[in-house]
């Protein structure tokens, strides 16, 4: 038998869900008071700190916005520098298709020289294998300005090619390189071209929308 005055009743340990209530029932009065005071103190502390936390979040958000705006400004400035027009001049071609081809080849040579210079300076990867151009914007009908004597001025999208992608059973052959835009005046023999900045990320896409390709290069 248990000694007189000793309660021999035993409350089994409950599961995880019932554990807090079990602990609360077994706490002495002083322990319960301490728990209540701690909970009240935590609530009061949270209320007192809330304005400071909100202000800290606002300051962080404002700083992030300033950093993003500064990065966009710097990116736009970089795009404008990269897209600065370059100019060249060849023999006036008029409506002579052969002379037009020669002038277009001179334009491609100038683009290749510019791309090779940029690659040597570390602006982008090289070497530059060749330059390929096609009418801009691409049209499904009618010849481009290069083959149409009636068009005095032609706009072209060009690629300074760095590598070729061989054809496979499921894909056509392709090229990899750096994009350019060119405008050729076959009447005067003058031409202009601009390097087009790539699109590595979302911010770059946003910046590109703020910086149009110079009209002198064909827009």
């Amino acid at each position: 038998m248990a000694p007189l005055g000793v309660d021999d009743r035993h409350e089994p340990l409950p599961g995880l869900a019932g554990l807090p209530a079990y602990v609360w029932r077994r706490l002495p009065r002083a322990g319960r008071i301490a728990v209540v005071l701690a909970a009240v103190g935590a609530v009061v502390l949270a209320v007192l700190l809330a304005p400071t936390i909100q202000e800290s979040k606002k300051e962080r958000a404002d700083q992030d916005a300033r950093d993003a705006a500064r990065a966009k400004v710097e990116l736009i400035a970089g795009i404008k520098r990269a897209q600065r027009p370059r100019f060249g001049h060849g023999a006036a071609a008029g409506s002579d298709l052969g002379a037009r081809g020669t002038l277009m080849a001179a334009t491609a040579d100038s683009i290749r020289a510019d791309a090779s210079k940029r690659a040597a300076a570390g602006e982008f990867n090289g070497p530059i294998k060749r330059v390929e151009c096609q009418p801009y914007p691409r049209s499904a009908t009618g010849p481009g300005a290069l083959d149409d004597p009636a068009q005095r001025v032609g706009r072209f999208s060009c690629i300074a090619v760095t590598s070729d992608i061989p054809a496979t059973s499921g894909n056509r052959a392709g090229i990899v390189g750096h994009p350019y835009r060119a405008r050729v005046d076959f009447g005067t023999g003058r031409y202009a071209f601009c390097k087009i900045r790539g699109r590595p990320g979302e911010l770059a896409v946003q910046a590109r929308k703020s910086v149009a390709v110079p009209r002198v290069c064909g827009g």
Side-chain angles (χ1 to χ4, degrees):
M1 283 183 70
L4 189 61
V6 176
D7 189 354
D8 61 349
R9 289 176 300 171
H10 175 68
E11 183 179 358
L13 188 66
L16 185 61
L19 191 59
Y22 172 82
V23 173
W24 176 259
R25 288 194 300 270
R26 299 185 69 85
L27 279 176
R29 177 180 173 81
R32 293 183 181 184
I33 293 175
V35 170
V36 171
L37 291 177
V40 173
V43 172
V44 172
L45 183 62
V47 172
L48 293 176
L49 291 179
T52 301
I53 294 173
Q54 292 300 321
E55 181 64 24
S56 178
K57 289 182 177 179
K58 183 178 183 303
E59 290 177 356
R60 179 61 182 272
D62 290 345
Q63 183 62 50
D64 289 345
R66 288 192 295 269
D67 291 343
R70 182 165 51 252
K72 185 176 181 180
V73 168
E74 293 173 353
L75 184 56
I76 289 175
I79 293 175
K80 288 182 177 180
R81 287 193 301 270
Q83 293 186 173
R84 182 172 60 84
R86 270 70 169 174
F87 300 91
H89 187 277
S95 60
D96 187 313
L97 296 185
R100 286 183 172 227
T102 299
L103 183 57
M104 193 67 229
T107 304
D109 286 343
S110 295
I111 292 175
R112 181 176 183 179
D114 178 78
S116 296
K117 183 178 179 180
R118 292 173 187 256
E123 183 175 335
F124 49 58
N125 65 298
I128 307 303
K129 301 175 66 174
R130 64 186 183 279
V131 171
E132 294 188 8
C133 296
Q134 63 183 8
Y136 175 84
R138 298 185 66 176
S139 175
T141 60
L146 183 62
D147 301 315
D148 184 357
Q151 298 185 47
R152 170 173 171 158
V153 175
R155 295 190 297 162
F156 300 89
S157 175
C158 301
I159 297 291
V161 180
T162 57
S163 60
D164 293 277
I165 302 174
T168 65
S169 59
N171 296 286
R172 294 181 298 177
I175 57 175
V176 176
H178 306 289
Y180 279 77
R181 190 76 53 76
R183 181 181 184 275
V184 181
D185 188 326
F186 294 106
T188 64
R190 296 183 181 278
Y191 56 86
F193 59 91
C194 297
K195 168 71 178 68
I196 306 303
R197 185 70 176 263
R199 299 185 175 188
E202 180 180 356
L203 181 59
V205 173
Q206 296 174 359
R208 280 289 307 277
K209 293 179 180 178
S210 303
V211 184
V213 176
R215 293 185 63 184
V216 71
C217 294

